[in-house]
Amino acid sequence: QPHKEICHFVAAAGAILTTDFICREYNTNWRYHQMKQTRYESGLQMLRQIDGTGGEGVIRSLEDIAPDIGRQIIEFAFGDIYTRKTLTLQEREMITIASLLAIGGCEPQLEVHINGSLNVGISPEKIIETFMQCIPYAGFPRVLNAVFTAKKVFAEIQGKTP
């Protein structure tokens, strides 16, 4: 019986070496493409979980002009960063909305991430409190822009016009 396991191992190793050889012959790297596909798939799943249709809309809006940016958002931001284990999705979204507020001029992205914050269970009150915490560091104008963006998102969710 042990020799059977060795035979299976040798067969699997042979398949990997054969695939490697074929990929080198055709100038491709199957391991890279396999990893890249996994990053994309896990990133897309995370994007859908956090941002829902809003995030997918952003990616679709880039398809005709800058599809590589959309792919980078999915693979890097959502596939590499958001899938890390140390912070919760709520903590990540609070950091994201505070960062977008501090940068300023990112209201469309802030709108998507306020929605994302709500999607991962952050209350509207906690979102506003996160913005309040930024006043001493980012200033009133940027905090007010973020609060008015949040007001718009909250109203849209409740089916009202802000």
Side-chain angles (χ1 to χ4, degrees):
Q1 290 292 0
H3 69 326
K4 215 177 207 183
E5 291 174 2
I6 293 171
C7 288
H8 290 292
F9 173 77
V10 170
I16 290 171
L17 290 173
T18 302
T19 304
D20 238 5
F21 173 77
I22 291 168
C23 288
R24 270 189 253 123
E25 285 295 308
Y26 291 97
N27 199 23
T28 62
N29 184 337
W30 70 277
R31 286 188 184 123
Y32 170 76
H33 291 294
Q34 185 180 32
M35 180 185 83
K36 186 175 176 184
Q37 184 178 14
T38 302
R39 281 177 71 211
Y40 185 87
E41 288 171 354
S42 61
L44 188 58
Q45 181 181 4
M46 187 62 70
L47 174 75
R48 288 176 177 152
Q49 180 181 348
I50 296 168
D51 293 331
T53 57
E56 288 180 351
V58 170
I59 302 304
R60 272 193 307 280
S61 72
L62 294 168
E63 286 175 354
D64 63 339
I65 189 164
D68 286 343
I69 293 175
R71 183 180 47 77
Q72 287 294 322
I73 290 169
I74 291 170
E75 290 179 356
F76 177 68
F78 289 92
D80 292 342
I81 303 300
Y82 269 88
T83 57
R84 294 173 60 86
K85 304 294 180 208
T86 306
L87 299 174
T88 67
L89 288 180
Q90 288 186 352
E91 291 166 332
R92 289 182 189 287
E93 279 302 298
M94 288 174 67
I95 292 166
T96 301
I97 62 175
S99 297
L100 291 169
L101 175 155
I103 293 169
C106 300
E107 285 73 21
Q109 294 80 16
L110 184 59
E111 191 173 323
V112 170
H113 283 282
I114 290 169
N115 257 311
S117 296
L118 295 168
N119 288 342
V120 299
I122 300 173
S123 68
E125 296 78 19
K126 203 166 197 174
I127 290 170
I128 299 301
E129 191 62 33
T130 300
F131 294 158
M132 292 279 301
Q133 180 64 31
C134 295
I135 292 172
Y137 308 99
F140 279 101
R142 289 186 176 162
V143 170
L144 288 172
N145 289 344
V147 168
F148 290 130
T149 301
K151 181 179 180 179
K152 177 183 170 193
V153 171
F154 300 158
E156 288 172 358
I157 288 171
Q158 294 174 356
K160 302 174 187 172
T161 306

